[in-house]
Amino acid sequence: QVQLVESGGGLVQPGGSLRLSCAASGSIFSIYAMGWYRQAPGQQRELVATISSGGRRNYADSVKGRFVISRDNAKNTVYLQMNSRNPEDTAVYYCNADVTTQDRRLTPERSWGQGTQVTVSS
């Protein structure tokens, strides 16, 4: 089993910075792409950013230039640095990862965290 746990959310003010973390644990053999998604009430879950195993990054247009995704492969952790937050960034943020396990090293599985709430309010 592989588990992803997000942390770092909360009630924050706009304009500052906040870093979300997501750590993967379990019988991990390798982690390929990792990413962040978010979902606001009444909205579909949307892509925020992804990062490949080699560090190549993709961002949604709505966050490009404001958020930065990064990863620490030694810690099996992906981060989302949120700079200059806006009220529309309020959502539950979920991390995901494409992971192979010790038992299935050639078959990546998409794993999801349970989410962390980010509320942006002045």
Side-chain angles (χ1 to χ4, degrees):
Q1 293 186 2
V2 176
Q3 184 179 17
L4 275 64
V5 179
E6 302 96 340
S7 62
L11 178 62
V12 297
Q13 296 181 351
S17 64
L18 179 72
R19 190 177 74 166
L20 305 181
S21 300
C22 174
S25 62
S27 300
I28 298 172
F29 179 73
S30 183
I31 302 178
Y32 296 97
M34 306 184 78
W36 287 94
Y37 289 71
R38 67 185 182 186
Q39 187 170 22
Q43 303 292 326
Q44 292 183 320
R45 185 174 299 186
E46 64 176 352
L47 172 70
V48 176
T50 62
I51 183 169
S52 72
S53 60
R56 182 167 295 180
R57 302 166 179 174
N58 286 298
Y59 296 95
D61 289 339
S62 60
V63 306
K64 190 175 299 182
R66 299 190 298 117
F67 295 178
V68 178
I69 188 171
S70 61
R71 63 190 290 169
D72 185 337
N73 292 331
K75 297 181 178 180
N76 293 332
T77 299
V78 62
Y79 305 95
L80 185 68
Q81 182 72 37
M82 305 173 63
N83 301 309
S84 186
R85 299 175 304 280
N86 299 316
E88 57 265 30
D89 296 320
T90 296
V92 177
Y93 284 72
Y94 300 88
C95 68
N96 78 320
D98 295 326
V99 182
T100 59
T101 65
Q102 295 290 342
D103 294 333
R104 302 181 67 85
R105 300 183 177 185
L106 301 178
T107 307
E109 298 286 344
R110 177 66 58 89
S111 298
W112 290 90
Q114 293 185 341
T116 183
Q117 176 72 47
V118 174
T119 302
V120 182
S121 179
S122 61

